Each structure stands twice: as C-alpha cells, then as structure tokens.
C-alpha cells in the first residue's frame, strides 16, 4: 500500500512532487485546523508540518498509523517529541535548510540597528529629512558575540568575519575547530561574552535550560551601547526585562524576529525607536523554503526505501 502523507502547512511544491513521483499518496492541506487534524490524523502514515501546525500529544495519540513526523525547517518546538518517542514515531527535520537565510537576516538586522535604516525610512515617509539624528556606526572592528555555534551561529560567524567583525563564541558543546580557526574565534563563557560584545546574537534551541537564558541579570552585564539580536526562539529572552533595559538606556538596541507570543500582542517594545522587529522571517526566503522542502522529501523517500 502507498505511503499516505498529510502535508499540514504551506510548503514548496517540490515536496509533494518528489513524494508523488516516488509513489506516495499526498494530501496537501496547508490550512488544516487543529480540530480537523485531530479527526483525520489517523488516516496517515506521515505528517509533514512547518511551524503553524502544533503536533500535540493529543494529535499524536489520535494518529494511530503515524510513523514519521517531518518538520520542513529546523526548530522542533511545535512537535511534542516526548509523546512521539513514546509512540515510536520518528521525528525528522531539515537542519541545514535555513542556516544561510537566518544568518543573512541577522546581518541585515545588525546593519539596520547600526545605520538606523528603519527609522530613516519612517522619517522619510513622514516628510522629514532627518540626517543629524541618524548618525550611525560601522560593524567593522566591532565584537559580535554568538551564543550557540551550531549551523546558523557558524554561518553568521563567517558572514560577520567578511565585515571585519571580531567573533566571540559560547556553546555548551565543543565548537567546530575548523570554524574557530577560520574566523579567529574568541571562545568564552556566557558572562564574558555578554560583557565584551557590541552585538550579541542568539542561536540556541528553546529548551528548559535556555528558557529566559537572557534575563534581567544577564542583560545587566551587557554594555550600555550593545545591541541584542534574537532570531532563534521567543522565550529565550525575558521580553519584559528587555523592555526595561532598553527604556532605561541600559542597552543600546535590540532586533527581534521571534517573540514569546507570536504574533506579539500589543508589545510595548514596538514603542521604542531602538528596536527593530520582523515577523519570524528567518527562514522566509525562496531558497530556504525550497531547500528545506527538498531535504525533507529526499529524507522521506530514503526512509521509505530503508536507506536511512
Ligand atoms: P543547531 O542545533 O545547529 O545549533 C544550536 C546550538 O546551540 C548547538 O551548537 C548547541 O550545542 C547550542 N546550545 C544548546 N543549548 C545551549 C546553551 N544553553 N548555551 C549555549 N549553547 C547552547 O541549531 P540551528 O540550526 O543553528 O538553529 C538555532 C536556532 O535558530 C534554533 O532555536 C532554531 O529553532 C532557530 N531558527 C529560527 C529560524 C527563524 O525563522 N527565525 C529559522 C531556523 C532556525
């Protein structure tokens, strides 16, 4: 019998095409609701999701024939991995798919903060030619602290090096020595990284151990002129503490692509001029979406053939 695959979120067309070409039965339902999914999950062997669909323990429990949950992306926090493990369901992702897209977004956010690009755009639209108040700084020679040197952290380090930034890094596992040598990495602990960096960019997964990793105490270690960038997951920064630090002038600026609640509900951060916000755009490029869809489709075909 053909593998029955339910695609629950919008994915690049290459994924259903590859699966169908390999004899799988694909139902593409990018708008499926949680309630509907709960009713129909039992009809499928594989569930494919991005981040919109939450694969809860209840859904996993109802998906009697499910053997694989595939995430077209990196983070697995919308999938109850414990529940999947208990049911013997394999969870796969496309770990490398988004690394360049997210790293390039971080560069654009750092440049936006350094050169006040969003503010300049806003004032221009208001008919104001505000040159004096928008004197910026350069990234060249500044210290970039990267927290979490996995796929995205390393890609960012390489891009930032091309801007002649100095790279400081902290991770809980040994850091790739080739990468460290290539960028002249200064390895250190989290406290020293926060104290020494002009920009701090977070690239860790959301786990119990990383929740509120950047809280009021950690923010107080940072330079008053420093900027904090989060493109990893909301919940890693305590947003209320961040707001207080920015409002009191204890921190230079922040750029956020991810939030504790998405979309954020009336966040006071949007009232601050030194904050740049984007709506979880990290992996939102044509190239990243295509790559992740391709990687997942190939993995599913290989699993079907018993290769991996
Ligand atoms: P990765 O697994 O390759 O790297 C994560 C690194 O964080 C690992 O090296 C790990 O050892 C390290 N780490 C874990 N806990 C840590 C801790 N307490 N202190 C320091 N380091 C720690 O992951 P990645 O692909 O580089 O992704 C990083 C983050 O980016 C994830 O949270 C992912 O969900 C997020 N992400 C966001 C977007 C977006 O659209 N904004 C897109 C893709 C990924």
């Amino acid at each position: 019998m053909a593998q029955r695959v339910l695609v629950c979120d919008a994915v690049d067309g290459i994924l259903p095409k590859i699966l169908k070409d390999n004899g799988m039965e694909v139902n593409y339902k990018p708008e499926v609701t949680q309630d509907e999914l709960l009713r129909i999950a039992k009809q499928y062997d594989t569930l494919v999701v991005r981040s919109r669909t939450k694969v809860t323990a209840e859904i996993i429990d109802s998906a009697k024939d499910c053997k694989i949950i595939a995430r077209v992306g990196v983070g697995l926090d919308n999938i109850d991995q414990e529940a999947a493990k208990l049911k013997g369901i394999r969870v796969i992702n496309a770990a490398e798919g988004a690394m360049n897209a997210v790293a390039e977004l971080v560069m654009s956010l750092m440049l936006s903060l350094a050169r006040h690009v969003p503010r300049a755009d806003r004032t221009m639209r208001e008919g104001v030619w505000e040159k004096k108040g928008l004197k910026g700084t350069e990234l060249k020679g500044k210290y970039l602290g990267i927290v979490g040197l996995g796929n995205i952290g390393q890609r960012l380090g390489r891009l930032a090096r091309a801007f002649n930034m100095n790279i400081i890094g902290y991770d809980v596992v040994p850091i790739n020595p080739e990468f460290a040598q290539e960028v002249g990495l200064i390895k250190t602990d989290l406290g020293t990284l926060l104290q020494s960096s002009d920009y701090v960019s977070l690239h860790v997964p959301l786990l119990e151990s990383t929740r509120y990793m950047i809280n009021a105490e950690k923010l107080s270690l940072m330079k008053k002129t420093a900027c904090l960038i989060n493109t990893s997951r909301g919940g890693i920064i305590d947003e209320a503490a961040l707001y207080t630090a920015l409002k009191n002038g204890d921190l230079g600026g922040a750029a956020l692509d991810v939030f504790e609640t998405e979309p954020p509900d009336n966040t006071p951060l949007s009232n601050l001029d030194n904050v740049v916000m984007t709506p979880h755009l990290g992996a939102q490029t044509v190239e990243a979406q295509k790559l992740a869809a391709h990687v997942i489709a190939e993995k599913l075909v290989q699993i079907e053939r018993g290769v991996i």
Side-chain angles (χ1 to χ4, degrees):
M1 195 169 100
Q3 274 253 17
R4 298 157 305 167
V5 181
L6 177 64
V7 180
C8 306
D9 292 325
V11 299
D12 190 279
I14 190 83
L15 185 144
K17 182 178 183 312
I18 291 177
L19 299 188
K20 283 180 191 162
D21 287 352
N22 282 276
M24 296 186 207
E25 212 176 83
V26 183
N27 192 359
Y28 188 63
K29 274 180 148 312
E31 318 258 295
V32 68
T33 63
Q34 292 292 120
D35 285 347
E36 191 185 2
L37 181 57
L38 191 58
R39 282 198 308 278
I40 65 172
K42 57 177 175 289
Q43 300 163 21
Y44 297 92
D45 306 297
T46 299
L47 300 179
V48 175
V49 299
R50 281 188 59 205
S51 53
R52 186 192 67 96
T53 301
K54 310 292 171 230
V55 191
T56 59
E58 199 185 10
I59 285 172
I60 288 171
D61 202 41
S62 74
K64 303 285 179 219
D65 291 341
C66 183
K67 286 162 215 76
I68 305 166
I69 299 169
R71 158 86 165 98
V72 186
V74 185
L76 294 171
D77 35 281
N78 58 321
I79 300 168
D80 190 326
Q81 292 178 73
E82 266 313 301
K85 202 171 160 192
L86 282 174
K87 291 262 165 189
I89 297 174
R90 191 165 169 188
V91 178
I92 60 169
N93 67 350
E96 300 86 2
M99 72 184 183
N100 187 63
V102 179
E104 285 192 12
L105 180 67
V106 177
M107 293 307 301
S108 77
L109 293 172
M110 284 200 290
L111 289 164
S112 295
L113 287 163
R115 302 301 298 270
H116 313 300
V117 178
R119 243 169 80 198
D121 179 69
R122 281 198 296 272
T123 47
M124 284 288 285
R125 283 164 200 267
E126 286 158 10
V128 182
W129 187 256
E130 192 200 341
K131 218 169 151 166
K132 242 181 165 172
L134 295 175
K135 186 188 276 177
T137 52
E138 297 180 17
L139 297 185
K140 184 180 173 191
K142 299 294 186 303
Y143 284 78
L144 166 63
I146 304 177
V147 182
L149 282 151
N151 287 313
I152 298 170
Q154 289 186 44
R155 180 67 188 145
L156 172 64
R158 290 188 165 105
L159 295 184
R161 196 61 206 129
F163 275 70
N164 294 116
M165 297 186 87
N166 301 299
I167 316 297
I168 309 177
Y170 165 68
D171 201 306
V172 285
V173 300
I175 295 168
N176 171 8
E178 274 170 35
F179 161 77
Q181 193 179 13
E182 191 182 323
V183 304
L185 184 75
I186 305 162
K187 276 185 259 181
T188 184
D189 56 277
L190 182 59
T192 311
L193 179 147
L194 294 171
Q195 283 167 347
S196 322
S197 302
D198 300 299
Y199 291 87
V200 173
S201 192
L202 306 174
H203 299 287
V204 296
L206 179 62
L207 307 167
E208 272 325 301
S209 56
T210 56
R211 192 175 290 279
Y212 281 4
M213 181 184 200
I214 305 298
N215 54 18
E217 182 217 327
K218 292 292 186 324
L219 288 166
S220 74
L221 298 175
M222 294 178 68
K223 295 183 193 177
K224 281 188 188 310
T225 51
C227 292
L228 179 62
I229 296 139
N230 189 14
T231 58
S232 59
R233 280 292 178 267
I236 289 169
I237 299 178
D238 176 346
E239 281 174 18
L242 176 65
Y243 174 77
T244 306
L246 289 163
K247 182 119 182 74
N248 294 345
D250 294 331
L251 195 65
L256 305 172
D257 184 48
V258 288
F259 301 85
E260 289 185 60
T261 308
E262 293 186 3
D265 188 16
N266 229 340
T267 172
L269 288 162
S270 60
N271 299 324
L272 302 177
D273 250 350
N274 51 352
V275 174
V276 177
M277 296 189 290
T278 48
H280 205 143
L281 292 183
Q284 195 72 351
T285 67
V286 173
E287 294 85 348
Q289 295 302 318
K290 210 179 195 83
L291 182 59
H294 207 277
V295 167
I296 288 299
E298 290 298 343
K299 278 190 183 176
L300 290 174
V301 171
Q302 288 188 17
I303 291 172
E304 162 99 329
R305 290 182 186 158
V307 181
I308 56 170

